Amino acid sequence: MNTENRQLNIIRIFKAPIELVWKAWTEPELIANWWGPNGFSTTIRNMNVEVGGEWILTMHGPDGTNYPNKSIYKEIIPFKKIVFEHFNPNFITTVLFESKGEETQMDWTMLFETEEMFEAVVKAHKADEGLKQNVEKLATYLSTLK
């Protein structure tokens, strides 16, 4: 089944070992430093990185608006794969990690339930640009951790 009309995908190689990239994704005190588009900050309320675990966070927009988020982890394979389901709007995020020596390739996909929901989220929230900004923020943050 072709899902390209309802997904966002970005692949990036970071100049950081896989252990560091994994920690940046799975430790609340680290992910809070880079999660969200430019100008946003994030408060992690709960982050239980295991199958069935909840990830509850609030993104704080530059205008002071709060955006509560809830996800449930569906699959965790340490240093390989994180899959979570995000609610309202509903989408599945799959992040694949591949070690390239001292670098790490990350393949991040957001798959929406319908093409209409995909288009609405991209138009209303500029999710495509937000994803790019999020990855840039992660790259910058990783460079400070070495």
Side-chain angles (χ1 to χ4, degrees):
M1 183 166 96
N2 187 345
T3 58
E4 284 183 21
N5 63 347
R6 58 188 179 96
Q7 75 177 24
L8 291 173
N9 175 257
I10 194 164
I11 297 172
R12 175 77 183 257
I13 294 180
F14 298 109
K15 293 181 184 337
I18 198 165
E19 294 80 9
L20 199 57
V21 178
W22 183 261
K23 281 176 71 166
W25 268 95
T26 58
E27 294 187 10
E29 58 278 8
L30 298 187
I31 201 166
N33 287 294
W34 63 269
W35 189 260
N38 294 342
F40 281 73
S41 63
T42 300
T43 302
I44 306 294
R45 307 232 181 270
N46 184 28
M47 188 175 184
N48 185 8
V49 184
E50 62 182 36
V51 173
E54 284 189 329
W55 182 20
I56 311 277
L57 64 94
T58 302
M59 289 175 24
H60 310 286
D63 64 357
T65 304
N66 289 326
Y67 300 91
N69 284 258
K70 177 181 179 181
S71 299
I72 301 289
Y73 290 101
K74 297 297 198 184
E75 186 177 2
I76 303 290
I77 303 172
F79 308 107
K80 293 276 184 209
K81 186 179 194 181
I82 296 172
V83 179
F84 60 86
E85 182 174 5
H86 183 276
F87 298 96
N88 194 25
N90 291 29
F91 56 87
I92 300 285
T93 294
T94 302
V95 187
L96 304 174
F97 303 87
E98 186 180 341
S99 180
K100 305 272 189 187
E102 286 302 303
E103 297 183 330
T104 303
Q105 179 175 300
M106 179 194 71
D107 183 335
W108 182 346
T109 302
M110 298 166 64
L111 178 63
F112 293 83
E113 288 181 345
T114 64
E115 188 175 355
E116 294 74 26
M117 184 175 291
F118 166 80
E119 289 176 1
V121 170
V122 168
K123 284 190 178 103
H125 300 288
K126 297 181 178 59
D128 50 346
E129 186 58 33
L131 181 60
K132 289 177 195 160
Q133 291 175 9
N134 217 347
V135 170
E136 281 305 313
K137 283 174 68 177
L138 175 55
T140 300
Y141 182 63
L142 286 168
S143 72
T144 71
L145 292 178
K146 291 186 206 173

